[in-house]
């Protein structure tokens, strides 16, 4: 088995050593970093998230910091969701598009202050994008990547764990809001957010030298609730209908195709990038839509390096973008991105490793 040689282009997370100690078995590249994606026991990782508490290293969710007099303006120019109702201390899930209306990211935007924003980004170079747009529009802002690394604590017991460390006041943090805190001199922002539907927090570490210390504090405090390491869980997020930018989207996908309609405000000013294209796409109706598929095949085989063709009467109508065995549905389920002619209830075939597997189209979310 070949290895990735040491290089300065692949950055390590402040939690890297801690994840090695935990026995991480697989990484995925993301924002020129390594994201831990398995500790070797996917069912245990899933069960902790569903019934207990899981912690995961998402330092790869890099922050793009925008500060200065035009910070709010640049944040809005990049966002097809209205940010005017966003207050300091609040986050919003925000689609970002290019001039064609194609989705280029779906960050959580955190408003730190009236003139200071973080874009907590998915896998695409938004630092370069934000800098380029700021310069071309002549905006008075500084765009940088700060020393900030999120650590997720997710699952029904996450609140108990985080409260046991920081105090019961964290229970009052509202969905997608955040607050400053410290533990043993380690500075964090505690946000009620995270890439699962099981509830929990993300701790934004703001001193990269203290990653292992923070990991160990949470690990220790979580023992009574059976905490263990995990990852943005590939099957829970499919059951729950959460989009993976870059996993479920390609270089043509617009927000309407992937169920982000409710985060798009078409009456924003014309200077918002992509908004004019989105108005046209909305009027014409998008070409494709994202739905679910349930396969009539009990094999638990998961993990596809490429999208799988979806066929109707032997003709390609789209792709299954991700899929896997669902313990809740007792079936292999997946997301499909298919022509709008394909409807809920339709019978299709999904080509996996050259073999057509029959399945049925269904609505999202699965659960
Ligand atoms: N947390 C933080 N940054 C992130 C992610 C995260 N950056 C990358 C990636 N994940 C961005 N993608 C998402 C996708 C979904 C959600 C958050 C980030 C999400 N959606 C909820 C939902 O769909 O139900 C809530 C959206 C809402 O209604 O406000 O949480 O996970 N820091």
């Amino acid at each position: 088995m070949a290895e990735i040689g040491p290089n300065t282009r692949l950055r390590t997370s402040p939690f890297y050593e801690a994840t090695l100690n935990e026995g991480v078995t697989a990484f995925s590249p993301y924002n020129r970093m390594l994201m831990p994606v398995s500790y070797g026991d996917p069912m245990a990782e899933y069960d902790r998230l569903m019934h207990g508490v899981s912690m995961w290293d998402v330092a790869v969710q890099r922050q793009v910091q925008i500060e200065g007099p035009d910070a709010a303006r640049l944040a809005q120019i990049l966002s097809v969701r209205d940010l005017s109702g966003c207050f300091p201390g609040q986050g919003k899930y925000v689609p970002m598009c290019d001039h064609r209306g194609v989705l280029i990211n779906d960050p959580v935007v955190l408003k730190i202050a009236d003139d200071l924003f973080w874009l907590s980004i998915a896998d695409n170079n938004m630092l370069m994008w934000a800098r380029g747009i700021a310069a071309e529009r002549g905006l008075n802002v500084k765009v940088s990547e700060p020393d900030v690394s999120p650590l997720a604590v997710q699952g029904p017991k996450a609140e108990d764990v985080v409260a046991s460390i920081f105090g019961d006041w964290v229970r009052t943090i509202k969905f997608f809001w955040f607050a400053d805190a410290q533990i043993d001199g380690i500075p964090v922002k505690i946000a009620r957010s995270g890439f699962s539907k099981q509830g929990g927090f993300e701790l934004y570490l703001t001193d990269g030298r203290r990653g292992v210390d923070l990991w160990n504090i949470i690990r220790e405090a979580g023992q009574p609730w059976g905490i263990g390491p995990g990852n943005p869980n590939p099957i829970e997020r499919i059951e729950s209908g959460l989009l993976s930018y870059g996993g479920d989207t390609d270089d043509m996908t617009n927000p309407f195709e992937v169920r982000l309609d409710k985060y798009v405000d078409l009456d924003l000013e014309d200077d918002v990038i992509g908004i004019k294209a989105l108005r046209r796409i909305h009027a014409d109706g998008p070409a494709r839509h994202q739905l679910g598929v349930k396969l009539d095949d009990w094999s638990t085989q998961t993990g596809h390096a490429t999208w799988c063709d979806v066929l109707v009467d032997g003709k390609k109508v789209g792709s299954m973008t991700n899929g896997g065995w669902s313990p809740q549905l007792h079936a292999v389920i997946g997301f499909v991105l298919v022509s709008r002619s394909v409807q809920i209830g339709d019978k299709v075939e999904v080509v996996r490793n050259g073999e057509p597997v029959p399945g049925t189209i269904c609505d999202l979310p699965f659960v």
Side-chain angles (χ1 to χ4, degrees):
M1 190 67 169
E3 290 180 5
I4 297 174
N7 71 82
T8 52
R9 291 177 302 279
L10 191 60
R11 308 168 294 170
T12 46
S13 156
F15 312 112
Y16 180 66
E17 295 294 335
T19 62
L20 292 183
N21 288 339
E22 295 282 2
V24 60
T25 57
F27 289 101
S28 178
Y30 197 107
N31 282 328
R32 297 184 297 117
M33 294 180 74
L34 294 175
M35 173 167 60
V37 292
S38 184
Y39 292 83
D41 191 349
M43 274 307 127
E45 290 161 31
Y46 174 86
D47 282 340
R48 278 199 287 272
L49 171 61
M50 301 306 287
H51 307 296
V53 52
S54 177
M55 60 191 291
W56 61 68
D57 170 5
V58 272
V60 298
Q61 293 167 359
R62 301 315 292 165
Q63 309 303 301
V64 175
Q65 176 167 292
I66 304 173
E67 56 185 320
D70 290 333
R73 217 172 134 223
L74 177 59
Q76 186 62 77
I77 284 170
L78 300 175
S79 304
V80 300
R81 182 176 186 182
D82 185 4
L83 296 180
S84 62
C86 188
F87 294 94
Q90 191 178 11
K92 293 249 184 219
Y93 177 50
V94 174
M96 295 191 173
C97 294
D98 67 11
H99 299 81
R100 300 172 297 158
V102 166
L103 191 69
I104 57 169
N105 218 289
D106 64 338
V108 177
V109 174
L110 294 93
K111 184 169 182 173
I112 314 289
D114 287 325
D115 58 356
L116 179 58
F117 291 77
W118 289 350
L119 320 180
S120 181
I121 60 170
D123 183 28
N124 211 353
N125 196 335
M126 299 305 282
L127 181 67
M128 190 190 278
W129 176 254
R131 277 200 184 127
I133 300 299
E136 290 296 315
R137 302 274 175 109
L139 298 175
N140 185 2
V141 290
K142 184 174 168 225
V143 180
S144 61
E145 186 184 278
D147 174 10
V148 179
S149 301
L151 179 61
V153 186
Q154 300 282 301
K157 302 299 181 196
E159 185 174 304
D160 289 335
V161 174
V162 175
S164 77
I165 300 167
F166 294 97
D168 274 329
W169 66 271
V170 304
R171 299 183 192 276
T172 65
I173 299 175
K174 287 182 284 186
F175 187 54
F176 263 61
W177 288 68
F178 57 91
D180 286 309
Q182 280 216 2
I183 180 73
D184 284 2
I186 307 170
V188 294
K189 290 191 192 300
I190 304 180
R192 193 184 287 274
S193 58
F195 196 64
S196 88
K197 285 283 199 181
Q198 306 313 310
F201 295 89
E202 292 178 301
L203 309 180
Y204 290 76
L205 170 69
T206 54
D207 180 351
R209 295 167 303 182
R210 305 298 304 277
V212 174
D213 295 337
L214 180 64
W215 182 282
N216 290 337
I217 287 168
I218 295 162
R219 187 70 158 102
E220 188 67 29
Q223 288 304 337
W225 292 277
I227 202 169
N231 57 335
N233 193 275
I235 193 62
E236 188 276 345
R237 73 102 185 166
I238 292 175
E239 290 178 337
S240 299
L242 292 171
L243 180 74
S244 172
Y245 171 77
D248 304 316
T249 63
D250 59 16
D251 190 40
M252 303 191 311
T253 310
N254 65 65
F256 303 122
E257 292 180 321
V258 286
R259 301 176 296 120
L260 300 184
D261 311 49
K262 67 173 169 171
Y263 308 115
V264 178
D265 293 302
L266 288 175
D267 48 8
L268 285 167
E269 300 285 334
D270 286 356
D271 65 355
V272 171
I273 297 172
I275 207 73
K276 290 189 226 165
L278 289 177
R279 287 185 201 129
R280 279 196 303 274
I281 294 165
H282 189 258
D284 297 346
R288 302 176 293 180
H289 56 176
Q290 187 185 44
L291 292 167
V293 69
K294 220 191 264 189
L295 300 185
D296 311 342
D297 167 11
W298 284 61
S299 118
T300 58
Q301 168 197 15
T302 56
H304 303 276
T306 55
W307 288 5
C308 302
D309 286 354
V310 175
L311 313 177
V312 170
D313 298 330
K315 281 211 339 240
K316 182 172 175 179
V317 292
S319 304
M320 184 174 86
T321 60
N322 267 292
W325 169 257
S326 162
Q328 289 193 81
L329 281 94
H330 278 270
V332 173
I333 61 171
F335 285 170
V336 295
L337 188 56
V338 286
S339 150
R340 293 228 300 174
S341 61
V342 180
Q343 293 295 322
I344 294 163
D346 286 359
K347 301 288 178 197
V348 296
E349 287 176 321
V350 175
V351 183
R352 295 199 307 169
N353 305 313
E355 293 293 320
V357 181
T360 307
I361 297 294
C362 57
D363 204 0
L364 291 175
F366 288 99
V367 178

